[in-house]
Amino acid sequence: MTAYVALHELSPGKIVTAAPYSPIYGESLLGLRAGQRVSVRDLLYGLILRSGNDAAYDLARAAAGSERAFVRQMNLRAAALGLSDTHYANPIGLDQRGNYSSARDLTTLTRRLLRIPLFAKIAAARSAELNSLHPQRRIATINELLRMAPWVNGVKTGHTFDAGYVLVGSGRRKGVELISAAIGAPTDEDRYSDNLKLLDYGFSRYRRRVPVRAGQELAEPSIRYAGGSLPLEAVRTVAVGLRRGQRLSVSTGAPAEVEGPVRRGAVLGRATVFVDGMQAAVVALRASRSLPEASLFDRVRSFVDDHKILLGAIAFVILIGGVFLRRRRRRRRDEEDPIQVNPRRGEA
């Protein structure tokens, strides 16, 4: 959570001055000197790779001005994320009244963190160069899980006397991404082996499915005036991990009709992927080609096509009216003409 708040409050390039820090025996440290200038990015690497409590303390002060204000932000973020079994008393994670969490909350928080590209990169790193320090330093991760399988990509170790050995792990295999959590492990080795077993079990239960592929046509709204349709394509591929027995579905939302001008690539809709009725991913739908503005001829033709019955009825009425007027004029003309006499027969 210290990393989560810091990533939302601080720029990675911001330079922080390390404050004096008095560790208790056995604390994990990055080893900063008071007054040393270091970037937020390097503090995050020290926080995750080395579990550096001095790095956590400096991030807290830089983000909120004080440890107390930072802890308040941590608890606000926890409430916003729905971490109902979590409360923080310090930014370091050491045993203290009011400082607790659960395996479920740890995985929920980790899932949000792994959506942040910088955090995901840090969590997967086996080592890092701290370039903002003088002289520069290279550090290595203490998360041995990263070295136990090539598909492991995180995340964070932890240990206190009350919590025991703790580890949140993560991995990606055959397109499926999973997060594991082991808390209260009796030994350092147990937390790694437990996470590896959890991940192996999880991967045996899930399969990768690709309900949407980049460029796939998922909607075809009709083109107003010009006729035809405009295919809408998915902007990216969506892959999900599907457990056996789960139901996968895709719902598209797009206009039934479009009118030019439309540029190629314009976003005109979206597709939503559901797993067992719950939203798993959303992908935008874009125009597969450009669409010019409709011409006057297209508009007139479209109007005629759309109103054939009405126009036919009007034409029929006009025709009937014309016939009626013609007959009426003929009758009037006959009435006004004088009677002509045939001189030969004497008949009118």
Side-chain angles (χ1 to χ4, degrees):
M1 181 58 80
T2 298
Y4 185 77
V5 175
L7 283 163
H8 283 83
E9 298 294 330
L10 299 170
S11 167
K14 179 180 175 63
I15 299 299
V16 174
T17 301
Y21 184 75
S22 301
I24 63 174
Y25 176 77
E27 277 194 59
S28 298
L29 302 170
L30 179 58
L32 298 171
R33 303 188 308 273
Q36 195 169 17
R37 291 170 61 79
V38 57
S39 69
V40 168
R41 170 196 171 275
D42 287 351
L43 286 173
L44 288 167
Y45 271 101
L47 177 74
I48 304 303
L49 270 63
R50 300 299 303 174
S51 201
N53 289 347
D54 48 353
Y57 182 69
D58 287 331
L59 285 169
R61 293 181 69 256
S66 70
E67 183 176 351
R68 183 176 180 180
F70 188 79
V71 171
R72 185 161 51 248
Q73 289 192 33
M74 294 173 74
N75 286 314
L76 288 172
R77 296 277 184 178
L81 293 174
L83 308 184
S84 57
D85 296 323
T86 296
H87 188 272
Y88 300 102
N90 61 65
I92 296 168
L94 293 180
D95 292 331
Q96 185 176 340
R97 185 188 178 101
N99 210 57
Y100 56 84
S101 192
S102 66
R104 180 186 292 274
D105 282 0
L106 287 173
T107 55
T108 299
L109 176 59
T110 300
R111 187 165 63 250
R112 295 298 293 263
L113 275 163
L114 291 177
R115 295 176 186 172
I116 304 172
L118 178 57
F119 182 87
K121 180 181 178 182
I122 294 172
R126 290 166 171 76
S127 63
E129 193 79 29
L130 306 185
N131 298 318
S132 66
L133 295 178
H134 300 286
Q136 294 180 356
R137 284 176 53 192
R138 187 164 195 83
I139 59 173
T141 184
I142 59 175
N143 181 7
E144 292 298 325
L145 188 66
L146 287 166
R147 301 184 177 94
M148 296 175 71
W151 42 262
V152 173
N153 56 16
V155 176
K156 180 72 179 69
T157 62
H159 173 256
T160 69
F161 292 112
D162 288 349
Y165 289 92
V166 180
L167 175 65
V168 178
S170 68
R172 179 183 177 88
R173 197 160 75 188
K174 296 181 179 179
V176 177
E177 297 183 58
L178 295 178
I179 299 169
S180 59
I183 62 176
T187 69
D188 187 31
E189 293 77 13
D190 285 331
R191 65 176 168 185
Y192 294 120
S193 60
D194 287 349
N195 268 266
L196 201 59
K197 291 174 183 176
L198 283 170
L199 290 169
D200 275 332
Y201 171 76
F203 286 124
S204 73
R205 301 285 295 173
Y206 282 82
R207 295 293 181 270
R208 182 176 185 263
R209 294 291 182 268
V210 184
V212 177
R213 296 188 181 276
Q216 182 179 351
E217 296 180 4
L218 293 175
E220 286 188 306
S222 60
I223 301 173
R224 191 177 185 186
Y225 302 126
S229 60
L230 177 64
L232 303 184
E233 301 174 340
V235 300
R236 63 181 178 88
T237 297
V238 174
V240 295
L242 201 66
R243 195 173 64 246
R244 293 174 186 173
Q246 288 186 313
R247 182 173 52 86
L248 183 66
S249 61
V250 179
S251 174
T252 58
E257 185 180 59
V258 294
E259 178 181 344
V262 175
R263 61 177 177 81
R264 181 181 180 184
V267 175
L268 298 177
R270 67 176 189 173
T272 306
V273 178
F274 295 93
V275 175
D276 276 354
M278 296 185 65
Q279 180 177 303
V282 178
V283 58
L285 301 180
R286 63 186 176 193
S288 60
R289 58 182 173 85
S290 297
L291 190 65
E293 186 175 2
S295 65
L296 178 60
F297 174 78
D298 287 333
R299 292 173 183 269
V300 172
R301 184 184 62 183
S302 175
F303 180 83
V304 171
D305 290 340
D306 292 343
H307 301 84
K308 285 181 178 179
I309 296 177
L310 177 62
L311 291 174
I314 293 173
F316 179 76
V317 170
I318 292 173
L319 179 62
I320 296 299
V323 171
F324 175 78
L325 287 174
R326 186 176 180 182
R327 289 181 177 179
R328 185 175 180 181
R329 286 174 183 172
R330 182 181 297 174
R331 187 181 303 115
R332 183 178 298 174
R333 188 171 59 249
D334 292 343
E335 291 174 352
E336 292 176 352
D337 285 345
I339 300 174
Q340 297 182 5
V341 177
N342 188 327
R344 293 184 178 180
R345 297 185 178 179
E347 294 177 352

